Amino acid sequence: MGGIIFSVVTGCSYAGGAAQKETVENSPTVSRDSTYKAVVREGAGEISFPTDQYESSAQGYLLETSAMYLDLALCLHEKGMPSYWAQRENIGPEENRRYGRWIMSNAESHAYVLVPDKELERAFQWEALFNAEHEDVLSSEQYEKAESECLDTPSPDLMDALGGPPLPDEISKIGNQTYDLMLASDDAAAVFADWEVCLNEAGLERVGDDDPYGIVGVDYSVASEQSIKVAVTDVACKQETDFVQRLADIEASFQGPVVKKYEAELAELHAFDEKVTENRKAFLNANAAKGEALWKP
């Protein structure tokens, strides 16, 4: 363990056109319903799909992770091992980059580089300091044994998260397929074509299908004057063509029929998740002070 690093879910990034097309070709035929739409919140950098209303939010995942690490830290302390915990209350600033960069303020400040997350940076700093201070113990067999025992025996207050209603297999599959199905659709091709025309008029060239959001000649690792200029033009073209909303709505149209089919099962799952969330909040409220008192840098 060493330290407490809170992992969060950021936006998806494209991983290669060939893999997506192969997945779609090997998938069963999926129906569509264009009355289902995605909700795009530019101010928060969020894109919500029909299935999201039944799944834990990013804040929910943060709550889950925070409670799990607090439980682990307290258990290690009880076994006489060094441990610490630092509560992370917020996720952000964040931008769901499922369709590339699309928030103008981020393009203007960071080009294509990830927006810094000060709370996560603090967590990494704390971990490094904690590891340096307790290096000998953390590498010992006794610590490894204690950590393994703690992970195998979570607090009864958190055990309620194990045993909820199973997610329908078809829902699990459609959640993984909708991005691929979107990319393979004629509707998406039209969206990309509109965006590409805008880019070309601004003197930019799109990479192509192997990197659908890539632009030729851009260094994505730095926020240089040139990369910022390209990113701003890119986002402006996405805004002009309603790029993000149109692609997200295509994905939503593939999810809609499956969500409708399993509405009762998903409602049951959502109710269970809400109960678990309240229990995690109660666990954190009851034990946060103990966790924060374990160690400070």
Side-chain angles (χ1 to χ4, degrees):
M1 172 179 134
I4 306 300
I5 291 298
F6 296 108
S7 61
V8 297
V9 179
T10 55
C12 300
S13 60
Y14 184 71
Q20 266 73 14
K21 290 178 180 177
E22 182 179 350
T23 301
V24 172
E25 289 172 358
N26 293 332
S27 301
T29 302
V30 179
S31 59
R32 293 180 63 180
D33 185 343
S34 296
T35 64
Y36 285 87
K37 305 293 183 182
V39 177
V40 176
R41 304 180 186 88
E42 183 172 349
E46 296 176 348
I47 305 170
S48 297
F49 298 96
T51 56
D52 291 338
Q53 63 182 305
Y54 302 104
E55 297 178 352
S56 296
S57 64
Q59 200 69 34
Y61 286 121
L62 175 60
L63 182 69
E64 175 184 2
T65 305
S66 187
M68 289 172 57
Y69 278 129
L70 174 56
D71 184 53
L72 176 58
L74 293 175
C75 178
L76 286 168
H77 178 70
E78 289 178 0
K79 292 180 179 293
M81 295 294 163
S83 63
Y84 82 94
W85 177 81
Q87 185 165 6
R88 187 165 184 233
E89 299 179 349
N90 299 299
I91 293 177
E94 189 178 27
E95 174 185 358
N96 185 322
R97 296 175 68 176
R98 193 173 186 85
Y99 313 121
R101 172 128 283 165
W102 57 285
I103 305 299
M104 183 60 79
S105 59
N106 290 342
E108 293 171 340
S109 301
H110 306 286
Y112 294 99
V113 179
L114 288 175
V115 179
D117 184 330
K118 292 182 180 179
E119 283 197 16
L120 189 58
E121 289 176 356
R122 184 195 68 168
F124 280 115
Q125 291 170 357
W126 278 35
E127 181 184 46
L129 292 170
F130 180 84
N131 288 350
E133 183 174 329
H134 301 284
E135 181 178 1
D136 292 341
V137 176
L138 298 178
S139 60
S140 68
E141 292 183 4
Q142 292 87 345
Y143 181 87
E144 291 182 5
K145 181 176 182 291
E147 183 180 46
S148 178
E149 290 174 351
C150 287
L151 291 171
D152 288 341
T153 56
S155 166
D157 293 332
L158 298 182
M159 287 294 289
D160 59 2
L162 304 175
L167 192 66
D169 187 56
E170 197 171 353
I171 284 286
S172 300
K173 288 180 178 178
I174 200 65
N176 293 326
Q177 290 174 356
T178 51
Y179 181 81
D180 307 341
L181 292 164
M182 175 276 293
L183 275 183
S185 70
D186 291 338
D187 289 344
V191 177
F192 279 103
D194 291 344
W195 173 60
E196 188 169 7
V197 168
C198 181
L199 292 176
N200 293 160
E201 290 176 349
L204 300 177
E205 181 183 352
R206 181 185 165 210
V207 171
D209 291 340
D210 288 338
D211 183 7
Y213 312 105
I215 296 174
V216 174
V218 180
D219 184 350
Y220 289 91
S221 65
V222 297
S224 64
E225 181 179 349
Q226 189 268 344
S227 62
I228 289 175
K229 183 178 179 180
V230 171
V232 168
T233 301
D234 174 9
V235 173
C237 283
K238 284 173 178 164
Q239 292 176 342
E240 181 180 322
T241 59
D242 203 18
F243 185 86
V244 173
Q245 184 69 65
R246 290 166 70 190
L247 293 184
D249 283 345
I250 295 170
E251 287 204 58
S253 72
F254 285 112
Q255 289 187 7
V258 181
V259 168
K260 184 176 181 179
K261 179 179 178 180
Y262 294 102
E263 188 172 5
E265 290 88 346
L266 289 169
E268 181 184 0
L269 178 64
H270 182 62
F272 174 80
D273 284 342
E274 285 189 328
K275 177 185 175 183
V276 168
T277 295
E278 290 305 312
N279 289 347
R280 286 173 180 153
K281 287 180 180 178
F283 177 80
L284 288 169
N285 290 336
N287 296 285
K290 298 177 185 177
E292 291 173 347
L294 292 173
W295 178 87
K296 293 284 186 181

